[in-house]
Amino acid sequence: MEIKKEIRKYAKKKKAKNNEWFFKTGKGEYGEGDKFLGLTMPEQRKITLKHRELGLREVKKLLDSVYHEERMIGLLILVCKYKKTKNKKEIFDFYLKNKKAINNWDLVDVTTPNIVGDYLKNRDKGLLYKFAKSKDLWQKRIAIVATCVFIKEGNLKDTFKISEILLNDKHDLIHKAVGWMLREAGKKNQKELEKFLSKYSKVMPRTMLRYSLEKFPEIKRKKYMKK
């Protein structure tokens, strides 16, 4: 594939090694076994822009790659296609059909809002609740991160409901994602966030609580953290 040849031109062994550490690819870690070529995010976006007309069959080859950056570029091409096409369901379905490729937090965070979040903002959200109850770490992260699009539209209901489902999750990456979305919801409506916190702050994981409070005044933040 021409695009894979171009990707290899940007490969950097030292950065690849750093990324393998940063994205926790060691045995027993969340990114176990993932491989990197060492491209920067701007380089990946540059390649995406050049190849945004790539057909879905070719995109699938990128999504099936063992290399993280090739999967990211494949997903970014899907975002480009989604924004341009009238048949958004086709891209949405293709994205979900290949969700095994979305197996690290950056792959979720950079692409899920633009496809899953956007597609579902005025549709039934049942899929997100199914994902939130999944045993799969990345499906759970997709479920909560997708709601950032709803928050921008002023719809906070699903963020709070999915946060409730994920409240007792054991993984730090879910604690951070839920706390992040709660913080964003609080920017839209602090009273609603405080209502949620008054009910759950005593049982929330500390990381989740800390993230959710980042935009609060220091005195109020300390008050909640003491609880």
Side-chain angles (χ1 to χ4, degrees):
M1 283 176 76
E2 183 187 335
I3 188 170
K4 286 194 175 188
K5 287 178 184 176
E6 186 169 351
I7 290 168
R8 296 300 191 284
K9 289 177 185 176
Y10 290 90
K12 295 174 281 295
K13 284 185 180 179
K14 187 177 179 182
K15 182 160 181 61
K17 200 162 186 65
N18 288 340
N19 282 346
E20 284 169 12
W21 171 82
F22 183 75
F23 287 100
K24 309 298 180 191
T25 63
K27 189 169 176 60
E29 295 182 307
Y30 63 74
E32 182 178 349
D34 204 356
K35 296 181 183 298
F36 286 80
L37 290 164
L39 281 75
T40 65
M41 200 62 206
E43 287 167 348
Q44 291 172 76
R45 289 192 181 278
K46 180 181 177 182
I47 294 167
T48 297
L49 208 58
K50 184 176 175 182
H51 295 273
R52 62 188 180 275
E53 302 298 335
L54 203 67
L56 291 181
R57 187 179 294 178
E58 300 303 302
V59 171
K60 177 79 167 72
K61 291 176 184 176
L62 292 174
L63 298 182
D64 289 340
S65 174
V66 297
Y67 291 109
H68 188 100
E69 294 95 338
E70 290 187 343
R71 298 197 305 282
M72 175 65 89
I73 289 167
L75 293 168
L76 287 171
I77 290 171
L78 286 182
V79 170
C80 292
K81 287 182 173 299
Y82 179 87
K83 288 177 178 177
K84 191 176 177 182
T85 187
K86 289 182 180 178
N87 187 3
K88 297 192 182 298
K89 187 178 187 303
E90 180 188 21
I91 304 301
F92 172 77
D93 288 345
F94 185 86
Y95 184 88
L96 292 180
K97 189 177 179 181
N98 291 280
K99 61 184 179 293
K100 282 187 178 179
I102 312 164
N103 59 354
N104 217 311
W105 59 265
D106 62 322
L107 301 173
V108 174
D109 297 358
V110 172
T111 66
T112 286
N114 296 298
I115 296 178
V116 179
D118 185 82
Y119 187 78
L120 295 179
K121 67 183 177 185
N122 296 314
R123 292 180 173 87
D124 181 79
K125 314 289 192 296
L127 177 76
L128 298 184
Y129 288 86
K130 179 184 173 184
F131 278 14
K133 293 170 186 174
S134 165
K135 291 181 180 179
D136 184 88
L137 170 62
W138 308 118
Q139 287 185 35
K140 288 185 281 188
R141 190 159 175 121
I142 285 171
I144 189 63
V145 171
T147 71
C148 72
V149 177
F150 315 154
I151 294 168
K152 288 175 184 174
E153 300 278 321
N155 174 12
L156 312 181
K157 177 183 69 176
D158 297 293
T159 300
F160 290 124
K161 283 187 175 180
I162 291 172
S163 294
E164 281 184 280
I165 294 169
L166 296 172
L167 205 61
N168 297 312
D169 195 89
K170 302 299 181 188
H171 207 291
D172 187 58
L173 284 177
I174 299 301
H175 301 169
K176 289 176 179 177
V178 173
W180 169 26
M181 288 303 111
L182 288 173
R183 181 190 72 208
E184 295 307 302
K187 288 181 189 176
K188 281 285 184 181
N189 191 325
Q190 189 170 311
K191 284 185 180 178
E192 284 300 310
L193 175 55
E194 290 198 49
K195 193 195 295 184
F196 182 91
L197 293 175
S198 68
K199 191 174 180 181
Y200 295 116
S201 63
K202 291 181 181 179
V203 296
M204 287 169 72
R206 296 285 287 179
T207 299
M208 187 186 295
L209 179 59
R210 191 176 74 251
Y211 270 54
S212 71
L213 296 169
E214 282 180 352
K215 295 299 178 181
F216 277 35
E218 189 177 355
I219 293 173
K220 188 170 278 191
R221 195 164 63 242
K222 285 182 176 177
K223 177 187 164 188
Y224 275 108
M225 290 304 290
K226 280 179 183 177
K227 290 182 182 180

